[in-house]
Amino acid sequence: MSPAPVFPEGFLWGAATAAHQIEGSPLADGAGPSIWTRFAHTPGMMLNGDTGDVACDHYHRWKDDVKLMRELGLKAYRFSVSWSRILPEGTGRVNQAGLDFYSNLVDELLANGIEPLLTLYHWDLPAALDDRGGWLNPDIADWFAEYARVLYRALDGRVKKWVTLNEPWVVTDGGYLHGALAPGHRSKFEAPIASHNLMRAHGAAVKAYREIGQHEIGLVVNIEPKYPASDSAQDAAAVRRAHAYMNEQYLHPALLGHYPPELKEIFGEAWPEWPAEDYDLIQQKLDFVGINYYTRSVTKAAESYPLNTGVVRQPLGTYTETGWEVFPQGLTDLLLWFKQTYGDLPVYITENGAAFFDPPTADVDETGQRRVRDPLRIDYLRKHLGAIHDAIQAGVDIRGYMLWSFLDNLEWSLGYSKRFGMVHVNYGTQERTPKDSARWYSQVIQSHGRKL
Ligand SMILES: OC[C@@H]1[C@@H](O)[C@H](O)[C@@H](O)c2[nH]c(CCc3ccccc3)c[n+]21
């Protein structure tokens, strides 16, 4: 029996959500529409025609939700701010009611001994800015810094851990290359521009923080290890492309000051040459990086756009409801790669979790208590926390873990069909029911990881 894992002193145990996925009431109290409100109300974009109009009604239920976080023993809570609640037109006029919502939420978290981690941008761009070109307009770096300054001035000190962007890769790949996510563009030429402007905006927001903020700021990326499907040269080259496109495309400019060369190979004529001052803007010193980990990809050379790669399904693999292979070892491998490539920058696991089938309504157990049994999720979480512990033992400076997600919520264009929550939401009644995984996670937190 291996000794109980010991996590570092101060390791931050939490859970994560995002504004548009849980809040509902996207236009309440003076808020402006975001591209996700626009996208969800565009016929055909969302599974079952689901929208974020109600979601988990967190906009009204936030106090009870924070109470539940405390009851479950969370030490931290990662959430995002909806830009268009703060600046309905994206720039200019501040909507005080929007600012008040997040200020009250932060105060409630602190009053319950829960540390807030605030994400400035988790995909819900103000529609008014999309009308001005959105991430394709280079001015967005200034727009984003203006928005960030409003929040820094209002919340810094109560919020001590800030994140600029959540997953620029998804924003670009989903929103501008393949079109599966808002704003639904499909352009090989737009994607690199959006991607670069996202990183310029990241840099501008960090630079602004250094003028105003007194605490910590970082970037959150989704990365996943790419393993070759065979030992052929073609598959090795495919791995190189896939790795550069997802794992290095954002971390390299942010931490090393240049893009990986494979991007020019992938995008060809669509890959612009950027001015040197852009790299200076992007490569602002960070206090941490957030890594969102879900799965790995066994990668082969294949006809595909624009990577010419394919993912090989593993016949003996276990897969989640979103079709992602359960592969905890990939998280250890990835964290070791991160340390080796970028050095000893502190890391938070800012998202990790899985969608497995959970019923739309909770069961009632023999004592009359509502209950949701989710053994597959417990197994997934236990193994990934074990993988994190292995990386810590190997010297990676991992400071915390934010389970995705605190609540079942709107899984973007998949609507409410996928449940990632440790807490079950009955969308008919809005009743919250901690799943078995939540009760298990409470024990893990209370034992500081020893009861994995
Ligand atoms: O898909 C589960 C979660 C989303 O609900 C979060 O909003 C988002 O931050 C997030 N990122 C990832 C990994 C990257 C990814 C996102 C969407 C689709 C495919 C891959 C998984 N998740």
Side-chain angles (χ1 to χ4, degrees), residues 17-18 21 78 122-123 166-167 169-170 181 220 222-224 246 292-294 322 324 351 353 404-405 409-412 414 420:
T17 64
Q21 295 182 266
R78 175 179 175 236
H122 200 124
W123 306 359
N166 179 74
E167 302 186 338
W169 180 88
V170 178
L181 303 177
V220 166
N222 61 291
I223 52 180
E224 65 178 53
M246 180 183 276
N292 293 353
Y293 178 84
Y294 289 87
T322 49
W324 299 341
E351 284 179 33
W404 185 270
S405 177
N409 59 53
L410 179 72
E411 181 49 31
W412 305 107
L414 294 178
F420 278 86

Side-chain angles (χ1 to χ4, degrees), residues 120-121 135 140-142 144-145 148 152 162-168 194-210 217-221 250-251 253-255 278-290 345:
L120 290 166
Y121 187 72
W135 292 109
I140 196 158
D142 298 328
F144 188 57
Y152 298 155
W162 295 83
V163 165
T164 55
L165 303 175
N166 179 74
E167 302 186 338
S195 190
H196 190 69
N197 284 334
L198 276 155
M199 293 313 289
R200 291 178 55 252
H202 158 76
V206 176
K207 201 170 170 192
Y209 188 71
R210 298 308 179 203
I217 192 162
L219 170 69
V220 166
V221 290
Y250 303 97
L251 289 173
L255 301 177
D278 284 2
Y279 294 98
D280 295 337
L281 173 62
I282 293 170
Q283 194 187 5
Q284 299 294 318
K285 181 189 166 306
L286 299 182
D287 301 302
F288 64 86
V289 163
L345 195 60

